[in-house]
Amino acid sequence: MEYWEHLAKSKREAVNSLIPEEWRLKDPIPSAEEQRDVTGDFIRQYLSEREVEITETDAPGIVEQTTTGKWKAEEVVKAFCHRASLAHQITNCLHEIFFNAAIEDAKRLDEYFAKHNSPIGPLHGLPISLKDQFHVKGVETTMGYLGWIGTFEGRKGTGREKKFESEMVRELRNLGAVLYCKTSVPYTLMSGETVNNIIGCTWNPKNRLLTSGGSSGGEGALIGLRGSVLGFGTDIGGSIRIPAAFNGLYGIRPSAGRMPYEGMANSMDGQNSVLSVVGPLSCSVGGLRLAIKSILSQKPWLHDPLCLEMPWRDHEERRVEMGQLTFGVMKHDGTVTPHPPVQRAIEIVIARVKDLGHKVMEWNPPSHARGIDLLLTAWKYDGGADVHNAFALSGEPIAKQVNTFYGTKPTEQMKASEIAAVNVAKRDYQKEYLEYWNSTQEFNSTGRPVDAVIAPLAPFPAARPGTYTYYGYSSIVNLLDYTSCVLPVTNADKNIDTINKDFKPVSDVDQTIQETYDPAIFDGSHVSVQVIGRRLQEEKILAVTEYIGSNLGRA
């Protein structure tokens, strides 16, 4: 056994040993071919009726009970710890387990309520899961790298190991949330599939022939199995929205600066052309709203120098209720054709908003291919030095999902003048896109530009292992720094979503993506779209997404 294999095995066994004996599955899990879907009744068989009741209540519903003393925080936290342990055994979705600490925190919350007859904050007793970029005292942050085990972001002797906490962690504790686990990520974070040498692959619980997405893939799988109802991920190219979409969840990518990122681990830290942002995933839009409103109530701009002083704006939500809306619709970005289930989901949403009396217009913005070229350049400013240095700490091998982009060794880094030129080109592109959006007012009877854009989030309902080779639909939002929220729409159906025999590729990658589609393999998987707004329109886009979702019977 090589050194890296020993590290991986030891870490994996150390995490799994933290699952209480009574929560460990005694019988082998059926194969994906035998049991594709492990949500719903499959996972419920291991839980009590009370545990099912608690874990299948959404986040606003839980805090309604815990903040009024009707439910004890300890009982709620134990239920989620149990269900999270099951989710991990089925899908490999956890990197860190700290159930015991969570239960002790819950007991303290119950004692506080008993003494004061009031909650500590609006998230009192609500279990919240975190992507393994958040630093939490008492546990490691590996971000999937074997070389980060026993270190602080790959460095030893810093005094921060297992002691330092990210800014948002502090705020969540102040709000009364209970933190109990950290979820799996692909090493580097730069993949739409969650794979690393510690946990292997994190599987999609709705269809285990497919992946859970990435890079917040552990969050997607965990919440998809209701081992959590609210968690936080990050997004630099789709990493909140992809797992949300693949797992039938709601997830929002806020604009940069709206939520505090201070003190979190990251790849390519210091690359500021396209910033990674933090945001919530949940089984309801109400959960997303609760998360963002609560964090903003803590005034994070006082502790994060990059966080904007912008409290929650109720009036921006209310504007959505004021009349007819206009939606831009992008069915094809000019580079890759969405799979048949995704095309059908777009048509379902179009038909519903028209039935509700709203306007729809075709979205023909500046070339997305130009924007994506700029984004990919920014991701390679350092020639891959950051990620390859992390791999070198342990000598671990690099999975195909990562080395297809970063290769097996660093390449030449870009010069400052070249980076500046990319930033100028990005700004020019953003300006061009902005003016296109403004121009839609001329063709709109409401007298306003388009309110939101409905578009695919990915070309497929979820990715087959090793096939996620095109990120254009999600990543263009990151380059523009727009707000985007995932809207679950339907499920793939092999009898409806048949192969288009008249398909003609518009690019080589288009052909490659279409060749991955098999109606039988994708059958039953979640199918989602994204609702895109302008910069810093989080309140508005949540309201629009909730409105459409409720009228689809999904919110």
Side-chain angles (χ1 to χ4, degrees), residues 144-411:
Y145 287 122
L146 295 176
W148 281 25
I149 295 171
T151 74
F152 182 81
E153 299 181 8
R155 303 186 302 275
K156 294 183 179 181
T158 67
R160 290 181 153 196
E161 293 86 343
K162 296 188 179 182
K163 295 180 180 178
F164 177 79
E165 291 203 318
S166 304
E167 171 58 27
M168 190 182 285
V169 170
R170 183 188 69 81
E171 293 167 359
L172 288 170
R173 293 192 191 280
N174 288 346
L175 291 161
V178 180
L179 311 176
Y180 62 114
C181 62
K182 293 207 295 177
T183 51
S184 57
V185 302
Y187 41 27
T188 75
L189 307 176
M190 305 301 290
S191 174
E193 302 174 40
T194 294
V195 57
N196 64 59
N197 291 315
I198 299 172
I199 51 92
C201 179
T202 301
W203 298 104
N204 188 315
K206 188 65 177 175
N207 183 340
R208 290 192 296 152
L209 298 175
L210 307 174
T211 68
S212 67
S215 61
S216 310
E219 283 297 320
L222 181 66
I223 302 173
L225 280 167
R226 297 301 184 267
S228 171
V229 289
L230 176 60
F232 282 93
T234 62
D235 195 313
I236 194 174
S239 292
I240 290 170
R241 293 163 290 146
I242 292 165
F246 287 10
N247 292 281
L249 307 172
Y250 293 90
I252 186 168
R253 184 253 179 223
S255 292
R258 195 71 204 272
M259 298 283 280
Y261 209 102
E262 174 67 22
M264 291 174 59
N266 203 4
S267 286
M268 303 176 296
D269 197 13
Q271 181 281 111
N272 290 342
S273 296
V274 181
L275 289 171
S276 176
V277 301
V278 62
L281 299 83
S282 187
C283 50
S284 69
V285 174
L288 304 182
R289 183 183 293 110
L290 174 68
I292 296 175
K293 286 185 72 171
S294 297
I295 290 293
L296 294 182
S297 75
Q298 294 290 292
K299 299 182 179 180
W301 46 85
L302 296 178
H303 301 280
D304 183 339
L306 298 184
C307 196
L308 301 171
E309 186 171 349
M310 186 179 290
W312 181 264
R313 302 163 297 179
D314 289 310
H315 64 277
E316 292 294 333
E317 280 193 290
R318 290 194 294 270
R319 287 173 60 183
V320 174
E321 304 168 3
M322 293 172 63
Q324 190 179 60
L325 300 171
T326 302
F327 294 95
V329 175
M330 172 173 277
K331 299 181 181 181
H332 194 299
D333 70 352
T335 303
V336 168
T337 307
H339 283 183
V342 178
Q343 294 182 39
R344 181 166 61 88
I346 293 285
E347 296 298 335
I348 289 171
V349 176
I350 292 172
R352 192 68 188 109
V353 297
K354 283 183 175 180
D355 287 347
L356 292 166
H358 302 293
K359 299 282 188 181
V360 170
M361 63 173 286
E362 188 174 352
W363 191 248
N364 292 307
S367 165
H368 278 200
R370 282 197 290 121
I372 295 303
D373 282 345
L374 292 170
L375 177 96
L376 295 176
T377 302
W379 285 353
K380 288 186 174 180
Y381 281 161
D382 73 345
D386 178 69
V387 300
H388 283 292
N389 287 342
F391 284 124
L393 293 172
S394 67
E396 63 181 310
I398 308 172
K400 179 181 75 170
Q401 289 91 332
V402 172
N403 70 21
T404 51
F405 185 73
Y406 283 109
T408 57
K409 60 183 179 180
T411 57

Side-chain angles (χ1 to χ4, degrees), residues 20 39 76 85-86 90 92 115 121 141 145 169 224 239-240 244 259 264 346 396 406-407 448 467 525 528:
T39 64
V76 172
S85 74
L86 298 171
I90 296 168
N92 306 324
K115 181 177 180 180
T141 301
Y145 287 122
V169 170
S239 292
I240 290 170
M259 298 283 280
M264 291 174 59
I346 293 285
E396 63 181 310
Y406 283 109
R448 302 187 312 272
T467 67
S525 59
S528 303

